[in-house]
Amino acid sequence: MSIFEPSEGTLVVVPSLSLPQDELRRIKAARCYEERLLFLLLTLRAPGISVVYLSSMPIDQEIVDYYFSFLPDPDDAARRLHLITVNDPDSQPLTRTLLDRPEVIDRVRSVIGDDAWLVPFVMSDLEEQLAASLNVPIYGPAMSLAHYGSKSGAREVGTEAGVPMARGFGDLYTMAQIEDAVLSLPGERVMVKLNDGYSGLGNAIVPKDDWTRTEFSAGADETWAGFAAKLAERGGVVEEFIEHRPLYYPSALARITPGGHYDVVATHDQVLDGPVYQGCTFPARSEYRQEVSASATKIAKLLAERGVVGLFGMDFFAMKTDAGYAALLCEVNLRIGGTTHPFGAALLTTDAVYDPATGLLMCGNQPKYYTATDNCSAGCLRGYTPGQVVRMVERLGLGFDRRRRTGNVLHLLGAIPEHGKLGFTTIGDSREEAEELHRLTRQALCGG
């Protein structure tokens, strides 16, 4: 089964941000990130598919209509879509609230058939409880395997799979362990990461000669006392700080089916603001694309043998060396990540097929490229409705050309009215076309 192109059954989509809430509060419009998985509405183009989409707050009908506009029969798709909300803006994470609302769970039960799958944004004990309550399998890794998605687990997987990594130490919980690890690594600075950090949060860059100058990704209000408490509870790793410049940040997206089939479905170059993910470009640069894909395949094979199921991402560092380009494994994220929805949107709107030999999306003989952002933000957009922004994009000639299968696919539209923020994936027939149209769209919407 592929959640990108399922043929029949019901996808029960649970976009709950079941992550450490202290870091989540630092992300602008965090609740709206539940909309990241709305690209799965595009799977309704297959007449045998139904989608149950759960959310904290009602999803604006204009957003639903926008996704339906990509489908051949929007009216039939609407009959197979069930939007179910707990109607609680403060419900974080969503799954915890769902478990406290038996009437909502009863409603979900009433609309799913025998062939249903729960598709979580991220796995936690809460998602396992929900799946058990609904008596449906999960398209995601069992919590007994969650360690492989931690920073320490990634180091174990990387070592066993034989892929290159930065030097470092895992499974550290005390400051004494951290200090020993810092002194054992070369260089003037090291990186300390919480096991369950995400989006670049939960990291610290530590100057070895003066820990008071530590740079915490969580911001100026983080302290060593607070960070040490999180380490004691969650554990972490210490790794050498890669000083090499220029440094690139490719990632790979892989899937493992319930039957144990594994493959790499895409590579990307991530766009970062400091350590924080902002967007991506597809595919990763040709200089290191195959090396990233080969390492990712080894990791996917190992995780498939351990029983992992679902979509997951792997982040790398890439740099030029005397022998060519090298790619070092950075982390494994056993969840749907920031590159998943751009890939899904591009795949489902172009009918392209991923070619593992070249790492390209092929629409017939035409390769497809895209550039995506999660963070186009402008005060002038506040107060606009999602539909108004959609019509603005189309009026400016920046929408999606269904004949050429190029242009913009918008997401995070629910963050526009309050935050003036949205994301979009810009698809082109060349990298240059995608980047230029992306630049023009950002300039038109965000002023830069």
Side-chain angles (χ1 to χ4, degrees):
M1 178 184 178
S2 166
I3 69 162
F4 295 119
E5 299 174 292
S7 58
E8 60 184 4
T10 301
L11 303 182
V12 182
V13 184
V14 186
S16 177
L17 305 179
S18 302
L19 297 161
Q21 300 297 296
D22 49 355
E23 276 84 25
L24 190 64
R25 285 189 288 269
R26 304 176 189 276
I27 299 177
K28 183 179 180 181
R31 186 187 60 76
C32 296
Y33 279 71
E34 290 180 6
E35 295 184 11
R36 266 182 166 181
L37 300 191
L38 282 174
F39 78 87
L40 289 172
L41 270 58
L42 300 176
T43 65
L44 290 166
R45 64 182 185 168
I49 289 296
S50 296
V51 173
V52 177
Y53 202 98
L54 302 168
S55 62
S56 297
M57 288 293 291
I59 297 170
D60 193 311
Q61 186 60 43
E62 289 185 324
I63 300 175
V64 177
D65 291 342
Y66 172 68
Y67 284 97
F68 279 177
S69 72
F70 290 92
L71 302 179
D73 190 343
D75 291 337
D76 182 56
R79 286 190 287 271
R80 292 179 282 114
L81 172 64
H82 305 275
L83 299 173
I84 298 178
T85 178
V86 299
N87 205 21
D88 183 353
D90 299 320
S91 61
Q92 288 296 343
L94 166 63
T95 310
R96 177 177 292 132
T97 306
L98 286 167
L99 292 169
D100 290 336
R101 302 280 185 88
E103 73 281 3
V104 178
I105 294 179
D106 286 342
R107 185 180 171 195
V108 175
R109 286 197 194 100
S110 71
V111 296
I112 61 175
D114 295 331
D115 188 12
W117 290 83
L118 191 144
V119 181
F121 171 73
V122 61
M123 279 296 297
S124 74
D125 293 335
L126 299 173
E127 281 68 38
E128 286 196 332
Q129 292 175 44
L130 179 61
S133 178
L134 295 172
N135 194 29
V136 297
I138 305 173
Y139 196 81
M143 284 308 294
S144 60
L145 305 172
H147 175 67
Y148 295 126
S150 70
K151 302 300 186 293
S152 295
R155 294 198 63 83
E156 292 179 22
V157 169
T159 299
E160 190 166 346
V163 303
M165 291 185 294
R167 288 169 287 189
F169 304 89
D171 289 320
L172 308 178
Y173 288 85
T174 69
M175 287 305 298
Q177 291 174 323
I178 296 294
E179 290 169 4
D180 286 345
V182 168
L183 293 175
S184 299
L185 291 173
E188 298 178 355
R189 298 185 287 178
V190 298
M191 181 74 79
V192 183
K193 304 176 186 176
L194 296 176
N195 268 336
D196 58 0
Y198 56 91
S199 294
L201 299 171
N203 295 347
I205 301 173
V206 183
K208 296 172 72 172
D209 62 345
D210 185 359
W211 287 39
T212 65
R213 294 188 292 110
T214 295
E215 299 175 29
F216 294 103
S217 61
D221 57 339
E222 183 67 277
T223 65
W224 265 114
F227 197 78
K230 295 172 186 176
L231 276 167
E233 178 183 359
R234 310 176 196 172
V237 302
V238 174
E239 296 175 339
E240 64 178 318
F241 187 87
I242 307 298
E243 301 282 2
H244 193 286
R245 297 295 182 273
L247 190 63
Y248 305 96
Y249 306 95
S251 68
L253 181 63
R255 67 179 173 189
I256 302 173
T257 71
H261 172 78
Y262 63 90
D263 56 359
V264 173
V265 299
T267 65
H268 296 86
D269 277 313
Q270 298 180 91
V271 179
L272 305 179
D273 179 8
V276 180
Y277 177 86
Q278 300 292 312
C280 63
T281 61
F282 172 91
R285 288 166 60 107
S286 59
E287 292 90 341
Y288 44 73
R289 186 187 310 158
Q290 290 302 318
E291 183 172 352
V292 168
S293 183
S295 289
T297 300
K298 291 179 182 178
I299 294 168
K301 178 179 185 295
L302 177 64
L303 292 178
E305 292 169 350
R306 300 291 167 84
V308 170
V309 171
L311 286 165
F312 64 99
M314 292 153 277
D315 295 341
F316 295 82
F317 297 120
M319 66 199 80
K320 188 175 183 179
T321 69
D322 293 339
Y325 279 83
L328 305 179
L329 176 66
C330 176
E331 61 187 47
V332 175
N333 297 304
L334 287 187
R335 58 177 172 81
I336 290 175
T339 62
T340 308
H341 58 285
F343 177 75
L347 192 76
L348 292 167
T349 56
T350 65
D351 292 319
V353 176
Y354 182 71
D355 179 3
T358 62
L360 297 174
L361 272 178
M362 300 300 298
C363 187
N365 294 323
Q366 175 62 59
K368 294 293 181 179
Y369 301 77
Y370 58 82
T371 300
T373 181
D374 269 354
N375 194 21
C376 176
S377 184
C380 63
L381 292 177
R382 288 195 188 97
Y384 277 71
T385 69
Q388 286 174 320
V389 172
V390 168
R391 291 187 288 274
M392 179 194 308
V393 168
E394 292 174 347
R395 187 171 62 250
L396 293 171
L398 301 171
F400 188 77
D401 185 330
R402 285 160 178 77
R403 181 185 62 83
R404 295 187 64 235
R405 303 181 190 184
T406 59
N408 283 301
V409 183
L410 309 180
H411 62 271
L412 289 180
L413 291 167
I416 292 171
E418 182 178 354
H419 302 282
K421 177 179 176 179
L422 76 157
F424 52 92
T425 300
T426 311
I427 304 166
D429 286 340
S430 67
R431 188 183 295 275
E432 293 75 20
E433 180 184 20
E435 290 182 350
E436 176 61 13
L437 181 58
H438 191 82
R439 183 189 67 81
L440 292 173
T441 305
R442 181 180 284 277
Q443 186 176 57
L445 292 175
C446 309

